[in-house]
Amino acid sequence: MTSRPADRIEPEQSRIAINTTPTRSFGSALRAARRDRGLSLGQLAQLVNYSKSHLSRVETEGKAPTDMLARRCDEVLRTDGLLSGLVDAGRSGRRGPSLNQLPRAVPGLVGRASTMSALDRTLHLPGARRDSAECTVVVVDGQAGIGKTSTALNWAHSVARQFPDGVLFADLGGFGPGAPADTADVLRHFMASLGGQVDAEVPAEHLAARYRSLMTGRRVLIMLDNAADPGQVRPLLPAAGGCHVLVTSRDRLSGLVVRDGAERVTVPPMTKDEAVRLLEAVARPWFDRSAAPDIAQSCGYVPLALRVAAENIAGWHQSPFDGLGGGSDEATTLRTVLSWSYRKLAPAAANALQRLAVTGGETVSPATAADLLGTGVNEAHALLDALAEIHLLHQVAPGAYRLDQLTAAFSAELNETRPLRPAPDGFHSQVRRLPDSRAPQPPVRNQDGVLGDTALTFQNQR
């Protein structure tokens, strides 16, 4: 009930309040935006999960705002990142890195507050858990089209100032139309960027050693986007303490977590409210809010599918949309990006994905899958885990897996072009006796979606 007054205030009104505030300080801008939203200090404190006394000191300039607080206030007050901008502007005398290879971040991140907070915690862990002599590695994983790259890029830009020795970026091409990037080429690119000597004849393992030496004593942020597997990433990990490596992939990269001590931040589908906001932002003025919940559900709350659907509404809104395709550019559809994951599968796993289409999104146990696949239970379990590793299948509980609706639709399409034998008798009744696949799932750490030009954001929605 505390958010009702805010719902009647448009983001533009908060923006006007900030832009016309005489002092341009963070505290006064926060106070003006809060009052324009009709919120008391106590109400805002509840919404941003900070104490009232803390916010009072920030508003009265008695305490400096943090990046996390500014970001949370931007989201709650819908000030389009202006408060975060004031935090940056207030850091007089603090310059950003001279080397910054990050691509442009698409502005207007929708939601994802918990994702950004989780990433913040990997940089500022409480207590003494993080050894300053260690390099921090963070895996940002999630299904195709969920917005891993856009989330990671927005966060990386927000913390780039904390890495005075530079920010490196490489698209590893793990899932895409071409071959993955060669690790040796990426090493040479990084070393040249840092001013090191690069010899084209040096083998990759020796290049990796030189790269680690070059990174000694430096505080650098490294973003490795769209990684194929842990083996592609490991040579690119510096040993230097103070460095921070952000790796995005639709593969869970479990080897990096187990062997290299990486942290994991998984990007989930958007919430219903976030999905509606994204549709509204892209499709307006043709947006029919009454139809939004059905459209969002048909898109599985996946940002890429939502953006394509919204573009359909804005451009040729009479055209049908199935969640997988839409538009004239097939390279920007969820069907295409899912096909990149499918091509990575071993034949047995690809076969399993097609056969699981008959489950209709219900949960499946390894024993039930074994009957469907014609394998032993252990082999079926391994195949289910292989699909879950690259987010083509969701493990909703120990021993229970399911396809999301869009991946199930993609799998059904595969069956039309590559017919398989029918499911065995009694399979569907076995599926229905399993735990409800739509039961609440364990909590995850993030939420997300991106506003901006569709053509610019596709590469960030992988």
Side-chain angles (χ1 to χ4, degrees), residues 48-82:
V48 300
N49 200 28
Y50 278 76
S51 71
K52 180 180 176 180
S53 61
H54 182 95
L55 289 183
S56 177
R57 291 196 297 273
V58 171
E59 282 196 355
T60 57
E61 313 297 332
K63 190 171 185 63
T66 63
D67 289 334
M68 188 183 299
L69 173 61
R71 188 179 299 129
R72 186 68 182 130
C73 289
D74 272 330
E75 181 188 15
V76 169
L77 299 174
R78 299 184 182 180
T79 45
D80 290 348
L82 292 174

Side-chain angles (χ1 to χ4, degrees), residues 19-377:
N19 287 340
T20 57
T21 301
T23 62
R24 295 290 297 170
S25 70
F26 181 94
S28 59
L30 175 61
R31 185 184 304 111
R34 171 177 63 78
R35 289 175 176 173
D36 277 359
R37 300 293 287 180
L39 296 175
S40 68
L41 195 61
Q43 288 173 323
L44 179 60
Q46 290 181 354
L47 291 173
V48 300
N49 200 28
Y50 278 76
S51 71
K52 180 180 176 180
S53 61
H54 182 95
L55 289 183
S56 177
R57 291 196 297 273
V58 171
E59 282 196 355
T60 57
E61 313 297 332
K63 190 171 185 63
T66 63
D67 289 334
M68 188 183 299
L69 173 61
R71 188 179 299 129
R72 186 68 182 130
C73 289
D74 272 330
E75 181 188 15
V76 169
L77 299 174
R78 299 184 182 180
T79 45
D80 290 348
L82 292 174
L83 291 172
S84 295
L86 289 177
V87 172
D88 289 339
R91 293 180 175 132
S92 58
R94 186 174 184 181
R95 301 180 60 188
S98 56
L99 171 65
N100 189 334
Q101 298 180 343
L102 291 175
R104 173 181 177 269
V106 178
L109 195 68
V110 174
R112 298 312 196 205
S114 58
T115 303
M116 301 295 270
S117 295
L119 290 171
D120 283 338
R121 287 193 294 273
T122 68
L123 194 57
H124 305 291
L125 286 174
R129 185 181 172 203
R130 176 66 62 210
D131 188 336
S132 61
E134 295 176 351
C135 169
T136 306
V137 181
V138 183
V139 172
V140 180
D141 70 329
Q143 68 191 81
I146 207 66
K148 301 176 291 294
T149 298
S150 59
T151 303
L153 265 181
N154 271 272
W155 183 82
H157 276 287
S158 74
V159 301
R161 292 175 179 272
Q162 301 185 41
F163 296 90
D165 296 310
V167 181
L168 301 174
F169 176 89
D171 181 355
L172 300 184
F175 295 83
D182 183 83
T183 301
D185 290 340
V186 178
L187 283 168
R188 292 186 181 97
H189 165 63
F190 281 174
M191 292 175 67
S193 300
L194 294 167
Q197 292 185 347
V198 180
D199 188 339
E201 304 303 320
V202 176
E205 60 270 23
H206 295 167
L207 278 175
R210 292 186 183 182
Y211 164 71
R212 290 191 295 271
S213 296
L214 190 62
M215 294 290 284
T216 301
R218 300 177 188 254
R219 181 168 171 79
V220 178
L221 173 64
I222 305 163
M223 181 169 170
L224 305 174
D225 187 37
N226 193 18
D229 52 55
Q232 186 189 33
V233 172
R234 284 196 181 100
L236 302 172
L237 301 180
C243 288
H244 200 87
V245 183
L246 200 60
V247 188
T248 72
S249 181
R250 64 186 69 174
D251 190 302
R252 285 174 51 81
L253 301 178
S254 298
L256 289 182
V257 176
V258 174
R259 175 175 156 184
D260 301 279
E263 304 253 345
R264 183 192 306 286
V265 176
T266 300
V267 181
M270 301 180 81
T271 65
K272 180 178 178 180
D273 176 66
E274 290 168 347
V276 170
R277 285 165 53 195
L278 182 56
L279 286 168
E280 183 176 21
V282 178
R284 65 175 57 174
W286 295 274
F287 183 70
D288 178 4
R289 196 173 184 86
S290 65
D294 289 338
I295 296 173
Q297 185 178 29
S298 72
C299 293
Y301 306 101
V302 174
L304 177 57
L306 288 163
R307 295 193 65 84
V308 175
E311 186 66 16
N312 274 6
I313 295 170
W316 46 91
H317 51 283
Q318 298 301 321
S319 300
F321 178 70
D322 62 2
L324 292 175
S328 59
D329 185 2
E330 276 299 311
T332 63
T333 66
L334 192 60
R335 178 181 290 109
T336 299
V337 297
L338 282 171
S339 74
W340 296 339
S341 294
Y342 179 76
R343 290 204 301 266
K344 291 285 185 180
L345 295 173
N351 179 285
L353 180 65
Q354 287 187 241
R355 295 192 184 282
L356 288 171
V358 303
T359 64
E362 299 292 343
T363 51
V364 177
S365 70
T368 305
D371 290 338
L372 174 65
L373 303 176
T375 67
V377 174

